[in-house]
Every structure is written in structure tokens, then in C-alpha cells.
Amino acid sequence: MSTKGRSRDIGLDRRQFLATAASTLAASQLGGIGSASAQSRTESAPAPGARRGAHTSFGSLKQVDAGVLSVGYAEAGPPAGPVVLLLHGWPYDIHSYIDVAPRLASAGYRVIVPHLRGYGTTRFLSGDAVRNGQPSALAADTVALLDALKIDKATIGGFDWGARTANIVAALWPERCKAMVSVSGYLIGSQEAGKMPLPPKAELQWWYQYYFATERGRAGYEKYRHDFAKLIWQIASPKWTFDDVTFDRSAAAFNNPDHVAIVIHNYRWRLALADGEPEYDDLEKRLAEGPVITVPTITLEGDANGAPHPDPSAYAKKFSGKYAHRLIKGGIGHNLPQEAPQAFAKAVVDVDRF
């Protein structure tokens, strides 16, 4: 998928994330490398003042035409540095990485943080394009963005939708993924798998998916999208005491005109209540087989994740390359990059050195 695009720099303030150290400094700032063999360990997040909240803005964003989208993205760090691509989830935005990006930039990495389709300044190039939220489409967006920015390979990190997208790119386009950091591990699924009922307690965690399956749910999300997102934040991260300023900074991204359509389609597609686009059928067939991921990977989990997530033992064998799992303690919930940015950034540096 070698879609080309042109990058229009509209004034990202690079001074905010000036690369002040080389990769050797990264080891002292972010901690040393762990063993490259498969491992599982527990880490405690640093004190709240050290782990988050030090930064509030990426500055001006850039835009680039990539595939079917004009993608809005933040960029930090030296242009010639090794590339790290960071993908956010729902209902979050690029600010999940507001404290991760400067840590990686200061360690010498070129950091790209795009708004997914339906968020922020990302827009469809055609008014007639299907507002498709199926997983393979988001992964194709990611490859198209790499092509547009002329990036051959990147270390990819993500959580929630972003982790699933990173998983898919690593599985289907391993030549484009140097290494991966994935919160909650292996998240590749299929419509067929979505037909299988779960135990009642597990089904309860997916209440919003069934709400979105109804027209009432679509209308409700349209009308109350900010209140809805705040509720999800509270449920998914029950020990994260975020303030209104922090939430509102991200909630602005949900005003995208395609946001509701993308979100509703994503969850209806999972239940086979909405069709995907034929051009992604072959990709979805490959994903339905549960492909093993071969690239070096570190999976992360917060000890207070209130969102649905698999047990690490259920997916460890899905990673055949160098692999490690880390449990991040300290009341860390679903939005792990924003709640524990130092631990997330350290995982990126460590996996890049596997």
C-alpha cells in the first residue's frame, strides 16, 4: 500500500520537544534494558508528579494526505531519529501521549502521534468515502501514513483501538514494524469471534457496544458524546483522578464531523451488524486466523484497568519474537500512556533495543 502524500508543516513548535540527548542518555533517563528473552515482571509507576501532567500542548499540528485521509498529527524529536509511531484509542486522542512524546524526543527519537480517522483534524479526502471503523481499515490508514511520510519502518505503540491497530500492522505488515508496545496485549479479533457469547459478567463490561448497536445508542452518543466519553474514562481508569482541563483537552477531538459515524460503525461491525468495505475482505480473513506476531514486543497492563481486557496468559504465545510482559502498579488504568508515561516510554526504548 504505497500511497504517497505531501506533508504540510503548519508550524509545530519543535522547541518544546528539542532533542537534548542521544540514545545513551535514554538509558539513564528511562532505565536500562530488560532481558530480551520472554519475561513477565511488575513495575511500580513513579510518583504522580513525576509521571504525568508536565506538558499540556503539542503546539501546532501537521497535516498530510495519506490514503483516503488528510491526517492531522503531532511530531516531536529530531527528523533523522529512529521513528516511533504512537496510536491512541477510544474515547481518547493524541493527548494520551502528551508526556510520552517529549520523553522519547529527548532520547533522540522522531515521534509521530496521529489522530485516528474520526478524531481531531483528521478528515476524509472525499465526502463520499465510507465512514468505516473496521479494524483493518484503521491499520491500512497507518501504513498509508508511513508511506506518505516516507517512513520505511517504525516502532509502534498503542492502547485500546491503537493497540489493536498496532497488532494488525505488526501481523500483516511486519516489514513496516520494527518493534511494538501493546497495552493489554494481543487484541486482534474477527466478526466470527464476535458471535461467541461471553459469560454474563464479561458481557456486562461491553454494555456500550450493545447500546451502540441500537439507533437509540447512536442518537445518544451523538447528543452526549462528551458526557459519554467522561463516563468511559472514569470506568476504565477508576483510580485516575483526572481534572476537567485534562479531559476537555482530549474531548475537543470528538467534535470531528465523522467521529460518531466511525465509532458506531466500529462497534456494530464487531457484532456483524454493519458491513465492512470489500477492499478489506482479504485482510479480515487473514486476521480471523489469529496470526502470530513475530516482531519484538513488550505488552503492558495497568493494575487498575477497568476496561475489558484479556489475561496476559491468554495471549503470551501469540508473540513468537523477543517478548516481555510488564504489569504497571500504582492504580494505573486503561489509558496507560497518559497515566504512567514514564513506564510507557521506557517500554518503547527497551523494545527498540531487543
Side-chain angles (χ1 to χ4, degrees), residues 3 38 43-44 52 109 132 135 153 158 161 210 241 266 274 309 348:
T3 306
E43 297 184 352
S44 294
R52 60 181 179 237
Y109 291 92
N132 181 355
K153 182 177 289 192
W161 287 22
Y210 302 111
T241 54
N266 177 281
H309 60 279
V348 171

Side-chain angles (χ1 to χ4, degrees), residues 254-273:
F254 312 149
N255 295 328
N256 183 297
D258 302 311
H259 179 75
V260 173
I262 294 295
V263 171
I264 297 301
H265 184 269
N266 177 281
Y267 286 104
R268 290 184 180 181
W269 182 91
R270 296 190 200 190
L271 296 176
L273 300 176

Side-chain angles (χ1 to χ4, degrees), residues 73-111:
Y73 66 99
E75 181 170 353
V83 179
V84 175
L85 183 67
L86 301 176
L87 304 174
H88 68 81
W90 171 86
Y92 306 93
D93 83 323
I94 61 175
H95 290 92
S96 291
Y97 298 102
I98 194 67
D99 290 315
V100 172
R103 282 177 165 84
L104 294 175
S106 69
Y109 291 92
R110 179 188 179 190
V111 186

Side-chain angles (χ1 to χ4, degrees), residues 315-338:
Y315 55 70
K317 293 183 179 180
K318 284 294 186 179
F319 301 100
S320 65
K322 295 179 180 179
Y323 171 70
H325 176 76
R326 297 175 182 176
L327 175 66
I328 311 302
K329 300 186 71 175
I332 304 303
H334 190 57
N335 186 1
L336 193 150
Q338 196 163 1

Side-chain angles (χ1 to χ4, degrees), residues 229-254:
K230 182 175 284 189
L231 175 62
I232 295 295
W233 280 36
Q234 292 165 342
I235 293 172
S237 299
K239 296 186 179 182
W240 181 28
T241 54
F242 60 87
D243 57 24
D244 288 342
V245 173
T246 298
F247 174 76
D248 291 342
R249 190 181 300 129
S250 288
F254 312 149

Side-chain angles (χ1 to χ4, degrees), residues 6 43 70 75 92 95 98 121 123 179 182 221 280 327:
R6 56 190 184 89
E43 297 184 352
S70 171
E75 181 170 353
Y92 306 93
H95 290 92
I98 194 67
T121 60
R123 298 288 189 275
S182 178
Y221 189 59
Y280 301 112
L327 175 66

